[in-house]
């Protein structure tokens, strides 16, 4: 294996290591955002359930409104 070929392989590996690290950082940031959104969604869901229970209503899904 000649020296230039070895150098090219080292350059490729170095570049791949950098790309992998960048992708890892993106995935990490996305996971943090997902966890934050899950906490917000759970809070909103519980608040909605509490409001509906206090009102005596229920979640009905895809029913048509009464004016149709």
């Amino acid at each position: 294996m000649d020296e230039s070929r070895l150098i090219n392989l080292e350059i490729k590996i170095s570049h791949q290591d950098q790309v992998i690290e960048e992708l890892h950082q993106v995935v990490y940031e996305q996971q943090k955002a997902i966890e934050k959104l899950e906490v917000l969604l759970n809070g909103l869901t519980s608040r909605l359930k509490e409001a509906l229970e206090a009102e005596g209503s229920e979640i009905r899904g895809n029913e048509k409104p009464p004016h149709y």
Side-chain angles (χ1 to χ4, degrees):
M1 187 179 279
D2 67 8
E3 189 173 334
S4 66
R5 191 165 173 213
L6 182 60
I7 291 172
N8 285 338
L9 286 173
E10 289 176 343
I11 290 171
K12 283 183 178 184
I13 289 172
S14 176
H15 183 346
Q16 288 177 348
D17 285 345
Q18 180 183 358
V19 169
I20 289 170
E21 183 57 37
E22 289 171 1
L23 290 172
H24 170 74
Q25 189 62 34
V26 168
V27 170
Y28 174 75
E29 294 297 326
Q30 287 178 339
Q31 184 61 38
K32 283 182 11 184
I34 288 169
E35 289 170 358
K36 185 177 180 180
L37 289 170
E38 285 176 338
V39 168
L40 289 171
L41 179 61
N42 289 336
L44 289 172
T45 301
S46 65
R47 285 177 58 190
L48 177 62
K49 284 180 182 178
E50 289 171 5
L52 290 175
E53 288 172 359
E55 188 177 290
S57 300
E58 61 184 58
I59 299 174
R60 297 187 182 155
N62 291 329
E63 284 186 17
K64 289 184 180 179
H67 60 278
Y68 277 97

